[in-house]
């Protein structure tokens, strides 16, 4: 592992010369072993030819032996690390063969015992790394060395900590070398010279057969000096987790994270460089969300007392279902702050970036996923989700389908109606990767477009989306039907025979409309259905754009939706009371009651709603209210906030809820930034155009915007567009032109991004894709910002 | 969110302008930073020695005064280290310079202190990668040791030394190799590029000649948009790269020459080995060598029941005209007489290659026949350029709810099944299993289908 340090050294240099005061690990190789190594490879019968220099094997090319540093005496090292004054207070980087030393030599004033005149002393805390370690690893170690130096300088200034510690260390060295010279005095004097080089690190009791001699000066130092112990723990924490939390002199807290290593706590073999994280943060968008790698309570507990309150708030309000925008608004942060905090959490391997969980998300098995049958993940998974098998689960995700579809499979019932928890688990281990749909304006410069074939193909592709989302929304609104709602008869079904897919059994996107829905239908039982509905509501609460319903473009749909939701809630409460399984799952503590209350409260509002039809805003509000509770509900469910009764987030949630509508109002209005926007400005495409589309293509119509919009198409493209029946609807055409002009159809932005940025609902986009399927093609791939944090070979 | 988008745009803009101003003021230098992982030229070569009176000093350097006295004094401990440290490559990165040296000690009574310490060092910029110079510095040091022992070439501070260093610096920077003749010693020096270790080559991997897929070369960033005046330059590049193929007929070793005709983008290693009648391990190491030098790339076996998935790079095909051109010319290679396909058509096929539909299904749906272009070549092109990714199928044996598979009872159970099933560990993809167990895909599919305890994971 090139991430791990090989060794840590502490060197001082002052008027009395340089000295290696401490190193860890200090059990360097045995003398005789190294001797054997040196000469053992030689053939004892060979004539040693001193002239043959090029063949001379005494050149040492490696200084690493069995993962330990070798071939350097302590004295050599101390001369190397005691740098000249010119190199102080800057990066020190030295590479010898395959070892790289990095440190930050710190020059600091230091009080000598006799007089109070401040002399300068140089200390250098050096890490030995493998030379192959990447530059960003070296940079992190440099940073750590620098911080250690600063901490020591501070402590020296405050209470002469360094002076005291150095005294202890020097005393230990002297003690041992005194003993050593005693031992050696009777023996050969020639060894005397060498003894100084090696005395401190060798366990020479073996050589001399004297058991009374202490093992090594470093051993003594480790027992006596707290600084040495701190360094030892730095080294050990670096090699084990990559996260260092050390209090120097029980005063200065030094927390440091080596992200290359830290991410391996959760995912073995996953190396994430800080540069990657920076890039990822740059690409973050408000619709992204975060997924904590650890229990939020543990995380809160581990944050030092002086931790940023913004971070605390963010974590308390965290839910994998929320987008960063929502989180930022909830926590009262600016988006930039939220992004930075996200970057921070990712850096410390406490979180990863996801697209917020919702049922419309399409997941597949990640390319680097470990699917070995003996991997520890299998057991972990079985423990976490009894009755489920990780590998079978992954095979369910082998073909892309929206989550709601997958979760209706066999495991939907068994995972206790909490697919979100399961998916979050899989995402944390980087076993799943989300696919997004990207749209490309595929301008056919070809006049004789082979219409039939392509038409079929296109219909295929686009239909699948429609089908998915239609059926989501349909099954959603028609709650009383237990059966899955079969969408409108699919025309392409006749063509099954012409397209015999070998994998017809799988509900893939492409052949979904081929496969008969009865395949998947009968498994749906009531309890499961309610669970599913519940989940769906939850996510729709946070991502209004996902179900394509509650993005407000008129009053009507909202009202309808709202009432739907009322029904659903009632339904859900029923479900809870009926199905004991669920209420068990919800960890007790009064969630039911809360819900009931809420629903009651809702009853009133429903009335209100029914009375005044005005009020998209009001309905919006109530809708939000609704969602709020549900959301809380799952977030507690999800991350076991609920399992500990008096945890602040929960408390806070409850508080927020009690606190009543005023606050909520504000939040909901903010939250619905999108919907508000649609109130504010009647967007361009809804402007009436009033002339035939074919005309519109050729002759620019009255509003200048339209003209300029249509200019984005080339002449050929206009011709093709004009032949399409869909162009006759000016609204559609305008939407197309507008999105095209803004560059959304270059295969670089996924549907969710378009929906977010342009305030379009998914259904609108789907319809557009369907109507212009001849020129818009789609492909599915990962979001690069999210995929960046995955291990790729 | 509009505000966010706007600030982002502003930010981008700000960065952009800042960047351009920097670029204009400090030419290209600003793009080099420590850790940029690029190779830089040798700025200076000097010989440091331990003078019996003056201590460490530079006895000769070219160009003169590149390494100042102050700089040398600051780092002299690493140029002339303690006598115990010798014959090891030492690189010190300090004060904006990166200095590679190979300190040498010669013990001999003819020297004033009974030993002579010297070090021939290369100086580079601190951002530069210097690993590639280490063998050169080492070899030079060893040769200088011989010359010193024979004639006292170094310690006498020969007048030839400055010219020798100048010659060395020039040749290594321009030709990346140098030949030095000094008395009877001839030194051949070459700077070898240090690349990443090549991946292991498996039986089921398919090698493709990178040169055969044409420009733009895989892995290269898209060319800058203002490309029109540079068109001729671009073509020069083509000519530069083309000879790779010519070379391959002439200069490679025997095994490689024997294998080259079989590397066509469809044959996997096992097949190449048996067709060319070369031992398989030999084929593997040969191909690995070619992978190291980026002559070939490895892709999965092309099969019509494979599934492919687009990568985010696919959008490059839509924007990069160069790539479109090369794609069209590559896929129509075999049948250029027919009507030419247009890129929209090709893009349609590529987009249809989604996880969930096999290549066969896509071909049928899009009525892709040989008439217009070769879909196999399209897939190879897309794989080489990373536009799509091939999904691999991993059969895994799920023990948990063990169900009887009835194999013991059945008469028609496949004899190979038992052995093959031992490979369903999740470590081997079906391609690999086919090669390892020497079964064909049809049989393997049957084994997988018939066993209820086997789950299939695509990834």
């Amino acid at each position: 592992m090139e991430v791990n340090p090989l060794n840590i050294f502490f060197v001082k240099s002052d008027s009395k010369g340089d000295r290696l005061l401490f190193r860890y690990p200090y059990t360097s190789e045995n003398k005789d072993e190294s001797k054997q190594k040196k000469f053992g490879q030689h053939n004892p019968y060979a004539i040693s030819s001193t002239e043959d220099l090029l063949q001379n094997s005494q050149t040492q090319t490696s200084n690493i032996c069995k993962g330990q540093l070798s071939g350097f005496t302590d004295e050599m090292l101390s001369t190397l690390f005691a740098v000249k004054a010119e190199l102080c207070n800057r990066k020190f980087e030295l590479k010898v063969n395959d070892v790289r030393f990095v440190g930050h030599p710190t020059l600091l004033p230091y009080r000598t015992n006799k007089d109070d005149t401040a002399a300068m002393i140089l200390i250098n805390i050096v890490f030995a790394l493998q030379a192959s370690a990447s530059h960003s690893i070296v940079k992190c170690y440099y940073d750590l060395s620098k911080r250690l130096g600063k901490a020591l300088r501070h402590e020296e200034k405050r209470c002469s900590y360094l002076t005291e510690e150095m005294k202890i260390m020097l005393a230990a060295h002297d003690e041992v070398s005194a003993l050593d010279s005693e031992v050696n005095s009777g023996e050969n004097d020639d060894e005397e010279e060498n003894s100084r080089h090696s005395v401190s690190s060798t366990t020479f009791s073996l050589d001399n057969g004297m058991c009374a001699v202490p093992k090594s000066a470093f051993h003594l130092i480790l027992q006596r000096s707290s600084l040495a112990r701190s360094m030892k723990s730095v080294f050990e924490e670096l090699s084990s987790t990559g996260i260092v939390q050390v209090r120097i002199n029980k005063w200065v807290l030094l927390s440091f994270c080596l992200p290359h290593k830290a991410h391996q706590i959760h995912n073995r073999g996953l190396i994430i460089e800080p540069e990657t994280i920076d890039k990822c943060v740059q690409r973050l968008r408000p619709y992204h969300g975060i997924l904590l790698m650890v229990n939020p309570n543990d995380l809160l507990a581990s944050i030092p007392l002086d931790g940023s309150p913004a971070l605390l708030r963010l974590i308390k309000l965290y839910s994998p279902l929320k987008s960063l925008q929502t989180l930022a608004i909830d926590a009262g942060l600016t988006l930039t702050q939220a992004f930075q905090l996200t970057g921070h959490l990712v850096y410390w391997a406490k979180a990863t970036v996801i697209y917020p969980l919702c049922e419309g998300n399409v997941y597949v098995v990640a390319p680097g996923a470990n699917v070995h049958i003996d991997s520890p993940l299998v057991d972990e998974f079985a423990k976490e989700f009894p009755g489920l098998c990780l590998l079978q689960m992954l095979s369910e995700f082998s073909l892309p389908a929206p989550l709601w579809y997958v979760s209706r499979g066999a495991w939907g019932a068994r995972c206790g109606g909490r697919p979100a928890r399961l998916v979050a688990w899989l995402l944390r281990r980087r076993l799943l990767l989300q696919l997004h749909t990207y749209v490309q304006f595929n301008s056919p410069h070809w006049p004789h477009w082979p219409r039939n074939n392509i038409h079929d193909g296109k219909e295929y592709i686009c239909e699948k989306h429609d089908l998915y989302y239609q059926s989501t929304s349909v099954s959603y609104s028609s709650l009383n039907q237990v059966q899955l709602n079969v969408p409108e008869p699919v025309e392409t079904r006749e063509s099954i025979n012409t397209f015999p897919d070998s994998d017809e059994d799988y509900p893939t996107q492409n052949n979904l409309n081929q496969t008969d829905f009865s395949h998947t239908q009968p498994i749906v039982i009531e309890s499961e259905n309610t669970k599913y509905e519940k989940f769906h509501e939850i996510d729709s609460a946070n991502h209004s754009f996902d179900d394509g319903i509650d993005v407000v473009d008129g009053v009507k749909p909202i009202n309808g939706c709202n009432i739907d939701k009322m029904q659903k809630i009632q339904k859900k409460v029923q479900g809870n009371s009926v199905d004991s399984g669920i209420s068990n799952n919800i960890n007790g503590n009064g969630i039911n009651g809360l819900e009931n209350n809420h629903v009651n409260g809702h009853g009133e509002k429903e009335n209100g709603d029914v009375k005044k039809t005005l009020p998209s805003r009001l309905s919006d509000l109530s809708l939000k209210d609704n969602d709020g509770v549900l959301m809380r509900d799952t977030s507690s469910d999800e991350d076991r906030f609920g399992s500990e009764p008096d945890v602040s987030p929960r408390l806070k949630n409850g508080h927020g809820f009690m606190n009543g509508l005023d606050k909520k109002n504000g939040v909901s209005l903010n939250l619905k930034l999108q919907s508000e926007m649609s109130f504010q400005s009647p967007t361009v495409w809804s402007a009436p155009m009033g002339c035939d589309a074919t005309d519109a293509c050729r002759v620019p119509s009255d509003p200048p915007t339209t003209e300029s919009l249509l200019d984005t198409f080339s002449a050929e493209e206009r011709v093709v567009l004009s032949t399409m029946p869909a162009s006759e609807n000016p609204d559609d055409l305008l939407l197309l032109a507008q999105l095209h002009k803004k560059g959304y159809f270059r295969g670089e932005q996924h549907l969710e991004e378009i929906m977010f940025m342009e305030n379009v609902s998914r259904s609108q986009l789907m319809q557009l894709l369907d109507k212009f399927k001849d020129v818009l093609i789609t492909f599915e791939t990962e979001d690069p910002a999210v995929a960046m944090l995955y291990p790729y070979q | 969110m509009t505000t966010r988008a706007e600030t982002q745009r502003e930010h981008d803009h700000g960065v952009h302008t800042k960047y351009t101003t920097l670029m204009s003021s400090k030419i290209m230098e600003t793009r080099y930073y420590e850790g940029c992982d690029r190779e830089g030229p040798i700025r200076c070569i000097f010989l440091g020695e331990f003078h019996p009176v003056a201590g460490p000093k530079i006895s000769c350097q070219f160009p003169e005064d590149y390494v100042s006295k102050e700089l040398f004094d600051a780092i002299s401990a690493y140029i002339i280290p303690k006598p115990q440290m010798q014959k090891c490559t030492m690189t010190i990165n300090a004060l904006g310079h990166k200095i590679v040296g190979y300190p040498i000690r010669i013990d001999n009574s003819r020297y004033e202190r009974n030993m002579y310490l010297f070090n021939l060092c290369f100086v580079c910029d601190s951002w530069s990668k210097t690993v590639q110079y280490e063998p050169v510095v080492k070899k030079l040091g060893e040769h200088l040791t011989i010359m010193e022992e024979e004639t006292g070439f170094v310690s006498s501070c020969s007048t030839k030394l400055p010219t020798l260093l100048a010659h060395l610096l020039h040749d290594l920077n321009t030709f990346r190799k140098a030949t030095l003749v000094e008395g009877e010693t001839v030194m051949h020096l070459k700077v070898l590029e240090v690349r990443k270790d090549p991946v292991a080559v498996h039986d089921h991997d398919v090698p493709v000649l990178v040169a055969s897929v044409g420009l733009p070369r895989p892995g290269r960033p898209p060319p800058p948009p203002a490309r029109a005046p540079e068109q001729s330059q671009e073509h020069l590049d083509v000519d530069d790269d083309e000879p790779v193929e010519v070379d391959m007929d002439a200069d490679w070793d025997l095994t490689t020459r024997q294998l080259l005709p079989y590397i066509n983008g469809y044959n996997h290693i096992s097949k190449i080995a048996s067709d060319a009648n070369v031992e398989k391990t030999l084929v593997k190491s040969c191909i690995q060598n070619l992978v190291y030098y980026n002559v070939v790339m490895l892709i999965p076996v092309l099969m019509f029941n494979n599934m492919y998935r687009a990568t985010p790079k696919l959008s490059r095909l839509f924007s990069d005209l160069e790539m479109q051109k090369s794609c069209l010319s590559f896929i129509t290679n075999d049948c250029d007489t027919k009507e030419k396909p247009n890129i929209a058509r090709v893009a349609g096929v590529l987009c249809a290659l989604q996880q969930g539909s096999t290549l066969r299904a896509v071909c049928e749906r899009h009525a892709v026949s040989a008439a217009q272009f070769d879909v196999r070549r399209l897939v190879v092109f897309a794989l080489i350029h990373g536009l799509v990714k091939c999904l691999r199928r991993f059969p895994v044996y799920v023990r948990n709810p063990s169900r009887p598979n009835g194999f013991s009872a059945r008469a028609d159970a496949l004899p190979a099944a038992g052995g093959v099933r031992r490979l369903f560990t999740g470590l081997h993809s079906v391609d690999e299993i086919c090669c390892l167990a020497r079964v064909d895909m049809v049989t393997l599919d049957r084994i997988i289908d018939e066993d209820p305890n086997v789950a299939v994971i695509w990834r």
Side-chain angles (χ1 to χ4, degrees), chain A residues 762-793:
Chain A
R762 187 186 286 274
S763 59
Q764 254 177 308
L765 270 181
M766 286 303 158
Q767 280 169 16
L768 193 75
L769 284 179
D770 191 31
K771 283 173 185 161
F772 292 96
K773 59 200 159 199
D774 286 354
V775 287
L776 295 179
I777 56 175
T778 59
F779 63 96
E780 293 189 343
T781 189
E782 65 259 26
D783 180 354
V786 173
M788 230 176 246
L789 302 177
Y790 277 75
Y792 279 133
Q793 55 278 16

Side-chain angles (χ1 to χ4, degrees), chain A residues 141-358:
Chain A
Y141 276 102
Y142 165 67
D143 188 44
L144 176 58
S145 167
K146 192 173 168 181
R147 287 206 226 168
L148 279 168
K150 276 194 177 152
L152 285 180
R153 177 154 63 190
H154 179 267
E155 282 308 281
E156 172 65 20
K157 201 174 166 192
R158 190 174 68 90
C159 57
S160 305
Y161 175 63
L162 189 65
T163 317
E164 294 306 312
E165 291 298 311
M166 285 201 329
K167 231 185 267 169
I168 297 174
M169 290 182 186
L170 282 169
H173 278 292
D174 290 345
E175 198 176 303
V176 170
S177 55
L179 272 174
D180 179 53
S181 53
E182 253 175 52
V183 169
N184 279 348
S185 56
E187 294 176 16
N188 200 341
D189 279 2
D190 294 347
E191 279 183 16
E192 197 88 323
E193 192 197 322
N194 292 330
S195 63
R196 209 216 140 199
H197 306 316
S198 47
V199 68
S200 25
S201 58
T202 30
T203 55
F204 54 85
S205 55
L206 292 172
D207 281 348
N208 300 320
M210 298 279 291
C211 305
V213 180
K215 282 141 251 162
S216 122
F218 295 132
H219 188 77
L220 276 184
I221 291 172
L222 199 57
Q223 284 171 345
R224 297 176 190 169
S225 156
S226 70
L227 178 59
R229 282 195 296 276
S230 304
M231 286 189 196
K232 179 187 173 204
S233 66
V234 165
F235 180 85
E236 280 174 347
E237 283 172 7
L238 279 173
S239 338
S240 59
T241 60
I243 293 179
V244 176
Q245 304 267 1
V246 176
R247 250 182 215 285
I248 305 281
N249 194 20
K250 294 178 188 154
W251 187 263
V252 180
L253 175 66
L254 190 126
S255 17
F256 170 83
C257 170
L258 183 67
H260 310 80
K261 181 88 186 165
H263 283 267
Q264 301 193 18
I265 303 170
H266 309 289
N267 295 279
R268 202 179 299 167
L270 172 69
I271 293 186
I272 292 182
E273 303 205 325
E275 289 77 13
T276 320
I277 297 170
D278 289 346
K279 265 187 236 157
C280 178
V281 171
Q282 274 172 10
R283 302 187 74 152
L284 275 184
R285 293 286 175 272
Y287 55 79
H288 281 126
I290 52 176
L291 175 66
L292 289 186
M293 307 295 288
V294 290
N295 185 322
N297 296 315
D298 297 348
L299 181 56
L300 283 174
S302 74
I303 291 176
L305 286 176
D306 56 349
S308 146
L311 183 65
L312 297 180
R313 251 179 297 146
L314 187 81
I315 296 168
K316 280 175 192 165
L317 292 168
Y318 150 83
S319 151
L321 310 178
K322 288 185 188 176
S323 69
L324 282 173
Q325 189 187 27
T326 319
L327 258 181
I329 291 165
D330 287 357
L333 305 169
T334 65
L335 257 182
T336 331
Q337 261 179 312
F339 287 173
Q340 277 162 356
L341 289 175
T342 306
H344 187 68
L345 285 171
V346 174
Y347 187 96
W348 283 76
K350 301 297 185 204
T352 186
V353 175
I354 55 167
Y355 184 81
L357 298 181
C358 57

Side-chain angles (χ1 to χ4, degrees), chain A residues 359-630:
Chain A
E359 288 236 305
N361 287 357
V362 178
Y363 294 101
V364 290
V365 183
N370 179 0
V371 294
H372 187 34
I373 48 171
D374 293 329
S375 86
L377 290 178
V378 176
D379 292 336
E380 272 176 51
F381 184 83
K383 235 175 261 169
E384 193 76 22
F385 304 97
L388 289 176
C389 169
L390 175 67
L391 298 170
Q392 273 171 348
M393 190 60 51
L394 289 179
S395 78
E396 302 251 356
F397 283 106
S398 278
L399 297 168
L403 194 54
W404 64 262
Y405 193 95
V406 185
S407 64
R408 272 182 206 184
W411 60 277
R414 269 186 282 167
C415 73
R418 290 184 292 178
R421 211 183 109 215
L422 194 136
V423 170
W425 194 93
L426 293 171
L427 282 174
R428 266 180 213 124
R429 270 85 186 165
R430 309 285 202 279
L431 294 172
L432 290 188
L433 179 66
Q434 190 179 354
L435 294 187
H436 294 270
T437 304
Y438 290 76
V439 190
Q440 168 65 31
F441 189 82
N442 199 15
S443 62
H445 307 294
W446 222 233
H448 50 277
W449 184 251
R451 197 139 179 116
N452 278 335
N453 291 331
I454 297 299
H455 199 262
D456 274 359
K458 291 287 148 61
E459 193 144 15
Y460 231 40
I461 294 170
C462 296
E463 196 125 359
K464 92 204 163 192
H465 292 290
D466 248 355
L467 202 136
Y468 275 149
Y469 299 107
Q470 256 176 33
S471 61
T472 8
S473 50
V474 166
S475 63
Y476 191 15
S477 51
S478 58
L479 258 175
N480 299 328
Q481 301 174 15
V482 175
Q483 287 195 336
L484 200 144
N485 218 304
V486 184
E488 295 306 301
V490 188
E491 285 90 38
T492 39
R493 199 175 294 167
E494 289 91 69
S495 58
I496 290 177
N497 296 329
T498 20
F499 305 116
D501 249 2
S502 57
D503 31 322
E504 228 170 32
D505 293 348
Y506 300 106
T508 69
Q509 298 223 343
N510 284 320
N511 50 19
L512 186 61
N513 44 4
Q514 294 176 16
T515 50
D516 199 330
F517 260 78
S518 56
H519 276 219
T520 53
Q521 208 176 39
I523 317 164
V524 185
I525 44 169
E526 171 144 30
S527 64
E528 189 194 331
N529 202 10
T530 49
K531 279 173 206 164
Y532 149 66
E533 292 302 346
K534 185 178 138 211
F535 175 63
H536 191 78
E537 269 174 68
I538 287 149
D539 82 65
S540 69
N542 297 292
H543 301 289
S544 45
F545 43 83
D546 272 310
D547 48 33
I549 281 191
D550 49 0
V551 170
V552 190
D553 39 9
V555 178
K556 258 190 189 168
I558 283 255
N559 275 344
C561 161
N562 205 14
I563 288 164
D564 272 348
K565 287 207 171 185
M566 302 298 152
Q567 289 173 344
K568 236 171 292 156
I569 286 212
Q570 282 161 358
K571 171 94 179 175
K572 197 189 77 193
V573 171
Q574 280 170 15
N576 275 347
S577 53
V578 170
D579 185 3
S580 62
I582 292 195
S583 44
N584 281 343
N585 281 333
I586 306 186
N587 288 337
N589 39 3
I591 291 178
N592 274 334
L594 207 126
E595 265 171 10
N596 280 331
N597 275 342
H598 203 67
V599 171
N600 289 342
H602 243 291
E604 299 168 17
K605 200 158 287 155
E606 193 182 4
N607 292 338
D609 246 345
V610 173
K611 257 200 283 181
K612 311 173 197 170
T613 20
L614 184 194
S616 48
R617 218 167 261 247
L618 183 66
S619 63
D620 186 30
L621 176 83
S622 62
L623 202 150
K624 214 61 244 173
D625 231 341
N626 231 340
D627 296 340
V629 170
L630 289 168

